[in-house]
Amino acid sequence: METRPPDLSFPEPEPHGAGAPAGRPAGPPLPAWAWAALGVAVTLLALGVAQVVALLTGASTAPLVAVGDAFVDRTPPWLKDFAVATFGTNDKAVLLGGAAVVLLGLGALAGLLARRRAGTASQVVLGLGAVAALAAATRPDAGALAVLPSVLGAIVGSVALSALASRAPGAGVSEPAGSPPSGSAPSGSADRRRFLQVLGAVGAGGAAAVVVGRAVSARLAGGTASRAQVTLPRPADPAPALPASVEVGVDGVVPFRVPNADFYRIDTALVVPQVDATSWTLRIHGMVEREVTLTYDELVAQPLVERDVTLMCVSNEVGGDLVGNARWLGLPIKPLLEKAGATAGADMVLSTSADGWTCSTPLDVLLDGRDALLAVGMNGEPLPVEHGFPVRMVVPGLYGFVSATKWVVDLEVTRFADAQAYWTPRGWSEKAPVKTQSRIDVPAAGADVRAGTVAVAGVAWAQHRGIDAVEVRVDDGPWQPAKLGSVPSTDTWRQWVLAWDATPGRHTLAVRATDATGTPQTGDQAPPAPDGATGWHTIQVTVT
Ligand SMILES: Nc1nc2c(c(=O)[nH]1)N[C@H]1C(S)=C(S)[C@@H](COP(=O)(O)O)O[C@H]1N2
Ligand SMILES: [Mo]
């Protein structure tokens, strides 16, 4: 017996005339699901064409990326917070995947519409392309050709939709209501099978073009290729060798220096900005005596310093892992700003990335002598592309969103009263020094442990103030001082460990740190927005 997909067809439309228009294929009409499949196939084709065109215009001009980026910029703070909390650093993949599902759904609807109104359906495809083109054209880093992928993709998609719709078996014919399904007619089912094969080929071709196009553009990407050519100079002022005692020696505690591949990544860019070091320049302007511009070669020709600095995201929940410590190599920002000469009244540096993201950093922080860097190296390698190649800012003591601009290309000396950074109108603070925080890494929350001596250990941080004490509380007992790992400066996190005499039962462990100004970490719970979460990291364990 021949198995066929379920026929979900709606009642047939009223005939427009007698019989099939001349030249229209005869045969049994396609069921609704096949029309939806036609829409999906055409959408994949459009996306494939767009992805190939984006090889010329840049990966961020591909329609889903452009729409996704525009969406990210319009995301309310609570939703961004939710996305980071729920999907962590996979939030981008989730967003792109979600956008693809929505678009393919719209494509399926356009296909269903094409069954009756092929002309209108083609216009819907063009309309979707226009929306994507608008999104691409209004990106801060959009070039003149940014609309091309969406426009050409939509044109090919709409032409393909009309062409396929007019060739669909049974298009334009209708059957008398109540007539038995005629798909079993031998010639009709062969026509349909052939048509569905064409749809499959169109859809698969489009999908393949998307996959191959993305892979090729990643390979050709300017930043990735350029990074492979870069060799970093040796630091004029190297970081001190780290004593073994920076590690408390407990398995499961985050390493003092986090390898690049494990380092958390947070930014608004759906595709990583690709910046070629050989064409990179930094412009320092605004309220300055004289503008300064700097090329990459000029930057790395100067004496570079190397420092261990802990970077931290304001979106980190208490106990979260959007924090990491690395060894950065870079050029101090202070002398550059002094060369430019800030004029009276300036109190902020607005830094801008190659993709148009902006960040406000207090001028006095950049000039107070801390190791604020234009970093080119991370843990002994050129900056990874996703961490800001070729140059990013690193400023000890401030959350990343007000200090750590990746792919930085522009520093404008200005005033908080005159300029706003990306996150400011989205409800985040314009200034945000890091709050003292501590985290229990072992035992893991909810773990089962053996009675006896148990190492409770983790990290604490209060960058640029430093950590003076960490204490652990078991249930309602007293706060017990933990042993601290050593640190090279006040700018890094600090490991800690407490030997706990664990007795059988369920226990609650809490941790708090005290910074080097003597201020203990508050137990008041606050969410990440607008300027960083507070509260004590508290976990439950079962001792047997
Ligand atoms: N260009 C650019 N730089 C950026 C951001 C961004 O969205 N775009 N995000 C900032 C935030 S919120 C943080 S926490 C740090 C994270 O740096 P990392 O991804 O290297 O860990 O980068 C900062 N620099
Ligand atoms: Mo962040």
Side-chain angles (χ1 to χ4, degrees):
M1 183 188 145
E2 189 198 296
T3 51
R4 291 194 307 130
D7 189 334
L8 304 173
S9 54
F10 300 137
E12 286 306 314
E14 287 300 308
H16 300 294
R24 286 290 180 86
L30 279 184
W33 65 263
W35 285 98
L38 188 159
V40 169
V42 159
T43 307
L44 286 169
L45 177 68
L47 287 174
V49 168
Q51 192 71 53
V52 170
V53 178
L55 287 175
L56 303 173
T57 54
S60 61
T61 62
L64 286 180
V65 176
V67 170
D69 273 331
F71 178 81
V72 167
D73 282 0
R74 286 161 185 78
T75 302
W78 62 265
L79 182 56
K80 173 246 179 193
D81 220 40
F82 165 83
V84 171
T86 312
F87 306 116
T89 35
N90 291 325
D91 57 346
K92 294 172 207 308
V94 170
L95 175 59
L96 275 182
V101 168
V102 169
L103 184 65
L104 292 173
L106 292 172
L109 290 177
L112 288 170
L113 180 64
R115 185 190 204 194
R116 314 275 165 81
R117 300 181 200 286
T120 315
S122 285
Q123 282 163 16
V124 168
V125 172
L126 288 176
L128 291 172
V131 170
L134 184 69
T138 52
R139 299 305 306 147
D141 56 342
L145 300 179
V147 297
L148 269 191
S150 299
V151 167
L152 295 178
I155 289 173
V156 171
S158 75
V159 169
L161 185 130
S162 321
L164 287 169
S166 67
R167 283 167 182 75
V173 259
S174 63
E175 297 161 278
S179 68
S182 46
S184 50
S187 78
S189 77
D191 278 352
R192 178 185 295 184
R193 206 172 309 124
R194 215 171 302 123
F195 186 72
L196 291 177
Q197 280 166 359
V198 170
L199 291 190
V202 167
V210 170
V211 171
V212 173
R214 283 176 63 104
V216 172
S217 65
R219 183 73 59 87
L220 295 181
T224 309
S226 169
R227 182 174 183 268
Q229 304 296 314
V230 161
T231 38
L232 295 177
R234 300 176 74 74
D237 179 357
L242 294 176
S245 54
V246 295
E247 306 274 352
V248 294
V250 177
D251 263 3
V253 176
V254 69
F256 181 78
R257 268 213 276 149
V258 178
N260 292 350
D262 301 337
F263 206 91
Y264 83 94
R265 172 188 167 202
I266 293 288
D267 53 62
T268 59
L270 279 182
V271 295
V272 182
Q274 295 286 338
V275 182
D276 190 328
T278 59
S279 56
W280 177 87
T281 58
L282 179 74
R283 178 167 170 246
I284 305 178
H285 64 108
M287 297 173 69
V288 293
E289 307 282 357
R290 63 203 77 76
E291 279 198 24
V292 173
T293 53
L294 191 68
T295 66
Y296 189 80
D297 284 344
E298 289 166 351
L299 191 162
V300 296
Q302 298 183 56
L304 303 186
V305 307
E306 188 188 45
R307 296 290 183 265
D308 295 298
V309 176
T310 298
L311 213 69
M312 156 92 206
C313 183
V314 71
S315 296
N316 199 47
E317 303 276 354
V318 172
D321 58 4
L322 301 178
V323 52
N325 185 55
R327 175 163 288 191
W328 308 97
L329 174 72
L331 181 68
I333 295 175
K334 183 182 177 187
L336 271 182
L337 287 174
E338 286 170 344
K339 187 170 161 198
T343 55
D347 63 2
M348 187 249 267
V349 171
L350 187 76
S351 49
T352 305
S353 65
D355 65 334
W357 184 83
T358 54
C359 168
S360 57
T361 309
L363 181 62
D364 57 354
V365 167
L366 295 173
L367 296 177
D368 73 2
R370 74 183 75 194
D371 290 314
L373 301 178
L374 288 171
V376 293
M378 180 177 184
N379 289 326
E381 290 175 20
L383 278 181
V385 176
E386 61 274 24
H387 292 293
F389 181 86
V391 183
R392 76 172 305 165
M393 288 173 53
V394 172
V395 183
L398 304 182
Y399 287 113
F401 80 114
V402 289
S403 69
T405 307
K406 305 191 270 189
W407 316 287
V408 64
V409 292
D410 190 281
L411 302 182
E412 183 190 359
V413 180
T414 179
R415 306 191 310 162
F416 280 101
D418 293 340
Q420 280 195 323
Y422 181 89
W423 285 113
T424 312
R426 292 171 172 82
W428 296 78
S429 290
E430 59 181 16
K431 295 181 187 174
V434 296
K435 296 177 178 177
T436 303
Q437 265 297 346
S438 49
R439 187 179 78 199
I440 302 171
D441 284 351
V442 275
D448 291 315
V449 297
R450 282 298 191 79
T453 305
V454 170
V456 181
V459 278
W461 56 89
Q463 292 93 307
H464 208 57
R465 297 187 299 280
I467 292 290
D468 258 13
V470 173
E471 298 161 291
V472 176
R473 189 178 66 182
V474 181
D475 303 321
D476 295 324
W479 286 102
Q480 305 176 51
K483 187 176 140 245
L484 297 178
S486 54
V487 280
S489 76
T490 59
D491 292 340
T492 70
W493 60 13
R494 190 159 195 176
Q495 290 193 4
W496 56 267
V497 59
L498 175 83
W500 170 40
D501 186 18
T503 54
R506 267 177 73 73
H507 295 288
T508 300
L509 305 176
V511 63
R512 72 171 185 194
T514 300
D515 74 11
T517 72
T519 313
Q521 174 189 338
T522 178
D524 294 347
Q525 293 185 17
D531 62 356
T534 62
W536 296 326
H537 187 211
T538 304
I539 66 166
Q540 251 97 50
V541 295
T542 305
V543 180
T544 48

